[in-house]
Amino acid sequence: MTEVKFYDKAEDELLKFAVIISKTRNKYVFCKHKDRDTWEVPGGHREEGENIVDTAKRELYEETGAVEFAIEPICVYSVTAPDNFDGRETFGMLFFADIKRFEAELHSEIEKITIMDELPKRWTYPDIQPELMKEAKRRGFL
């Protein structure tokens, strides 16, 4: 069973991922990977030596084409799942972004983005990302 937990902070070196809940004109922004038929929140792995905020900005650009946006951290999250990382708890930083302008084309593994009033019904990570959305709402970001 997948377990998602939330923290106010964690040691920087523990943060392996950045996930960015995004809106534009008060509507949600979701991505569809080229190899999947589900929707996901933009995000990804932190690169060696990269600041976690820079990870969030890079992933947001790569996965949505966002070129003008305001971004802020929400909280630290962790995921423990038997089929990931040998069942070890892994940590990431959850962000919120308000996107003002997008580039015309995407330059990554993302096939397309969608802008929605509601949350998607078909999630790529159904045990994780809906929980991240609930926590962002609980903390006043949505």
Side-chain angles (χ1 to χ4, degrees):
M1 182 171 134
T2 300
E3 183 178 19
V4 181
K5 294 180 184 176
F6 299 96
Y7 305 91
D8 290 328
K9 57 186 172 181
E11 295 297 322
D12 182 71
E13 64 270 7
L14 291 176
L15 302 174
K16 306 292 185 205
F17 303 94
V19 174
I20 311 95
I21 295 172
S22 307
K23 285 190 156 189
T24 188
R25 297 179 311 279
N26 211 29
K27 295 180 184 228
Y28 295 105
V29 178
F30 294 101
C31 309
K32 183 194 164 300
H33 190 283
K34 291 175 182 174
D35 298 333
R36 302 182 191 117
D37 59 359
T38 52
W39 295 100
E40 56 198 75
V41 176
H45 292 82
R46 183 180 192 176
E47 293 181 359
E48 179 92 26
E50 189 175 45
N51 175 292
I52 196 66
V53 175
D54 292 337
T55 302
K57 291 176 180 178
R58 176 181 53 77
E59 290 289 349
L60 185 64
Y61 168 73
E62 289 175 2
E63 296 197 351
T64 69
V67 291
E68 187 180 326
F69 53 86
I71 190 167
E72 61 184 306
I74 297 173
C75 65
V76 173
Y77 72 93
S78 75
V79 175
T80 306
D83 57 344
N84 282 331
F85 300 97
D86 298 321
R88 292 188 320 270
E89 184 177 27
T90 57
F91 295 84
M93 180 68 79
L94 181 61
F95 291 86
F96 176 78
D98 182 19
I99 302 171
K100 303 294 185 206
R101 191 167 59 87
F102 296 89
E103 201 168 54
E105 292 181 27
L106 296 174
H107 307 283
S108 73
E109 70 277 3
I110 299 301
E111 178 182 314
K112 64 183 175 179
I113 64 168
T114 189
I115 298 170
M116 309 168 111
D117 287 315
E118 303 293 325
L119 300 180
K121 301 217 182 323
R122 296 184 45 141
W123 292 92
T124 302
Y125 305 102
D127 296 335
I128 301 169
Q129 293 191 337
E131 297 303 314
L132 300 180
M133 301 297 285
K134 287 179 198 170
E135 185 66 12
K137 185 173 185 174
R138 188 185 78 74
R139 291 179 182 244
F141 283 85
L142 302 178

